Amino acid sequence: MFRPLCLAIACTAVFAENAPAQTVRSDFWTPNWPVSGALITGNTLYIHGDYNFLGPQTGGGALVTSTDGSAIPGFPRVQGSVLIAIPDGVGGWFIGGAIGSVGGQPRSALAHISADRTVTSWSPIVDGYVRALARRGSTLYAGGQFTMVDGQPRAGLAAFATTTGGLLSWNPGVSGGVVNQIVVGDSVGPVFVAGEFTALAGLPRNRIGAVDAVTGALRAWNPNSDGSIMAMSLKSGVVYVGGAFSAVGGLSRAAVAALDTSTGLATGWNPGANDVVSSIHVNGQNVYLGGAFNFVNGSPRARLAAVDVGTGLVTSWNPTGWNYSRVYALSSKAGRLYVGGSFGLAAVDLSSGAIQPWDPKPNGVAYAVTASDSGVLVGGDFTSVGAQPSQKLSALDLITGTATAWEPAPSALVRAMAVRGGTLIVGGDFAPPPFGSSPSIGGQQRYYIAALDLATALATPWAPILDGNVNAIAVHGATVYVSGNFTQVGGQLRDGLAALDAVTGTVLPFAPASDGTTRILGVRGNTVYVAGDFTTIGGQPRNHFATLDGTTGLATAWDPRLTGEVYALASGGSKVYVGGNFTSIGGAPRNHLAALDTSTANATPWDPGADGTVRALTLDGPWVYVGGSFSTINGQPRRLAAAVEASSGLVVGAWHPELQGNVVQAIAVASPTVCLAGDFLSVNGILQNHLAVLADVSTPTQLALASVVATAEGVRLTWFAADRRTPSANLERRTEATGWHFIARLESDGNGVLQFEDSTVEPGGRYAYRLGTQASVGDAWTETVWVDVPGLLGFSLGILGGNPSPNALRVRLSLPNDSPAQVDLLDVTGRRLERVPMSGTGVHVLDLAAGHRFPVGLYLIRLTQGSERRTLRAVLTR
């Protein structure tokens, strides 16, 4: 008889070949900051969080038109911030910054994008970030804050051959600070380097110096700045510099200066600025300055100015509108000056200073602007160009993926929402200001709770008055249950829990008392589920989790006996599924995830187990979608999100999105669409900040294989029928040596779930299964799934956390016997950084980064047991 084993060391999950993939909607707009809630009704997705922009996902770099600034399709998405971009000389670009991937391909601080907008294979591994790039002929110079490049020591400076992409021996190095700028002449001369360092090529150089372009040897050129240099430009034998200095080149100079390329001395050119100059661009007779200043050469010039290249006098050119901002990047082409800064992006006419109709609308700071014949490459600390303001509560069209015009504009955070009829009931921190009449949401004053018209986003007349914020809402029929940090509702005492009439807003008698904060998780019939940090509630001792009578507010006899916290709940059948940060519930040990009997409050056998906090649960048919900050469910790698069988607790193999980030806070499902919301950066290697919509969860017309679990003792298969009325199906099996033969007739459980446990397999064997949905064998078969049944444990080593990824040093290893073993972590030079002794037959999980903060870069992980050895290459990112 098939006996499922619960020990991780004895179980191997096997999933369907050609299983339906989770298609990430790359057209779906995303916010610039995390999302804390999501809800689907009809074809609309409602979200709330602490964001202020929504826009198409472009990443930290984009190619936009020079006419209106709209994004040019086909440019690869950049995960991370682009701090510098320069042309490669043949229509493409080199980009640098704090970069993790480009076009879905892992990249570390540097990347090369060709003229056809594809990412080239050039992929240096840098253990920091790049802020400066310069190219001369076939050599690319890079500067920033790093210590290693491709496993070789490089302190803030490196050079590459553009023909091969190989790292060159050029290695002057800096110490004491970062490199902000590198400039070189067109054909001859040294490499000029500036930033915040105190030594260059091993000798003292304060913030600026020059080295040989081939050997890296230090030149005598030594302007000696007393403050950081942030901008530098080379033109006609003069190096123009800007920054936060008061003296450079032997003379007093306020934030901007011109240096002789031969002597390093400051010339007579002396505009002077009253604050930081962070960008310099020379065009014709003018030197354009950008920064945080308000005056240049005594003339009012807010953040942007033009200075005569000969006299240093300020010209009459004076665009305005930059107050309280800072300019970081300048580039010119065809009579326009393109400007990037903390305000975003803009274009200014070089003659008149008039602002041009060019508006890429980034949702963050722009640090890089490079104008070329094919468009303007912009980069910075943003995730979208073409973004539009959208504050804290928004609606997106599930069909088009774009934000709708529905904008209630809450004055503060929204923390909860629920749909009732044609309204969205929302609660949060919003309320009118103490001394003013500004609307707080939907164009009206509302005190922490409101009902918004789903068509217009306007607040309806429903207007209960609370004296504190709302953190959770549940609607049942004509009753709205709320929890939060309030003491009064409609003038009546209510200590953090209340019930309101959904039509009139009248306060209902429901008034449970508790000794701590509470949050309502849901309503089932006349039972209200609440969680919090209380120890008594509704007149009874209850530890953090309880049920209350929906009318009286008294605690029921249901007592799950919780150790920890509950954050999420989903109800179905005779079970209520709970997630949180607990280790025991319902009288049984359960890690962060459990199912409780709705009658007894006892834990059911359902026990997937998560290795981190569960924040979101959504029940859809035979599956429970789980979100949180975990990395495994039921021993299977599932980072931040997973689908689990509602009946068995087995992980659904066909649903496996790969997320990089911190947490999934909410999951909304409208099959076959699943929406994930939280604080994450990418899904399936695709840059998708804080919000992702996944489609094609169950693509087959009639049946989809949900999961397969194989041990040496048997195989368990589970299917889900799209048409839940499917009564039965025929199961066939074959091996590589035999043909198909009928082995069982499967009956649906009434919810579209069909299961089979095959105990007649041999350890180490390979079997194929298929399911037919018609009465006679051979009709309407599902796709074939091949299953490898494990034999005896072998000697193996694998990476659990994705590679490259921030968790690339988390490994899973298998030892076939009790002989002593060891795991070594090595850098690329072979130097051992850590050794962990191992023993014991079976599977072990080990995090080599635990308790350490290793720099990003390339590492080797080696497992040794006797004469057996396995070595893996791991790339650690941030």
Side-chain angles (χ1 to χ4, degrees), residues 358-730:
W358 183 82
D359 190 8
K361 295 186 179 70
N363 64 351
V365 180
Y367 291 113
V369 182
T370 303
S372 66
D373 291 336
S374 56
V376 183
L377 201 157
V378 297
D381 191 13
F382 53 78
T383 61
S384 173
V385 298
Q388 68 181 38
S390 188
Q391 182 174 305
K392 297 178 174 61
L393 177 63
S394 310
L396 297 101
D397 189 300
L398 277 176
I399 297 173
T400 65
T402 61
T404 71
W406 194 87
E407 279 291 334
S411 60
L413 283 179
V414 170
R415 298 183 181 274
M417 59 186 173
V419 170
R420 184 181 186 274
T423 63
L424 183 72
I425 300 176
V426 298
D429 300 351
F430 52 85
F435 305 102
S437 58
S438 299
S440 53
I441 192 168
Q444 300 293 327
Q445 293 185 6
R446 291 293 182 266
Y447 291 84
Y448 306 106
I449 193 166
L452 304 172
D453 189 286
L454 289 176
T456 66
L458 297 177
T460 73
W462 192 80
I465 296 178
L466 290 76
D467 67 348
N469 77 337
V470 170
N471 60 32
I473 296 173
V475 176
H476 180 65
T479 303
V480 177
Y481 295 94
V482 297
S483 64
N485 297 312
F486 50 81
T487 59
Q488 292 191 29
V489 181
Q492 299 188 41
L493 293 176
R494 291 292 186 273
D495 188 14
L497 284 168
L500 303 166
D501 187 283
V503 178
T504 66
T506 302
V507 183
L508 300 177
F510 177 86
S514 72
D515 64 351
T517 60
T518 58
R519 56 188 173 273
I520 290 175
L521 299 177
V523 182
R524 180 185 171 112
N526 195 43
T527 300
V528 180
Y529 290 82
V530 295
D533 63 358
F534 52 82
T535 57
T536 64
I537 190 170
Q540 297 295 327
R542 293 291 184 270
N543 193 40
H544 300 293
F545 190 31
T547 58
L548 307 173
D549 184 282
T551 303
T552 66
L554 296 176
T556 72
W558 195 83
D559 183 4
R561 308 177 302 287
L562 173 71
T563 302
E565 293 281 350
V566 168
Y567 299 120
L569 178 144
S571 178
S574 62
K575 297 177 185 175
V576 58
Y577 301 89
V578 294
N581 189 24
F582 51 81
T583 56
S584 175
I585 190 172
R590 292 291 185 270
N591 288 323
H592 311 291
L593 194 56
L596 305 178
D597 187 283
T598 55
S599 299
T600 66
N602 291 331
T604 73
W606 193 84
D607 184 20
D611 68 347
T613 303
V614 171
R615 296 279 180 180
L617 290 175
T618 300
L619 180 63
D620 183 61
W623 297 348
V624 179
Y625 292 96
V626 187
S629 53
F630 49 81
S631 58
T632 66
I633 294 279
N634 209 353
Q636 301 303 320
R638 288 295 186 277
R639 181 169 174 79
L640 311 188
V644 179
E645 287 185 10
S647 58
S648 67
L650 295 176
V651 175
V652 177
W655 200 84
H656 190 186
E658 296 281 355
L659 285 88
Q660 292 296 326
N662 296 319
V663 65
V664 168
Q665 292 276 23
I667 300 176
V669 181
S671 232
T673 295
V674 179
C675 169
L676 305 177
D679 182 11
F680 49 83
L681 298 176
S682 67
V683 183
N684 293 348
I686 299 172
L687 185 66
Q688 201 70 20
N689 284 9
H690 315 306
L691 183 66
V693 173
L694 306 158
D696 299 328
V697 176
S698 54
T699 54
T701 304
Q702 290 182 298
L703 282 167
L705 184 66
S707 67
V708 181
V709 175
T711 73
E713 295 184 342
V715 177
R716 179 171 182 165
L717 305 103
T718 303
W719 288 265
F720 171 53
D723 181 356
R724 299 181 187 183
R725 295 169 299 177
T726 301
S728 59
N730 296 315

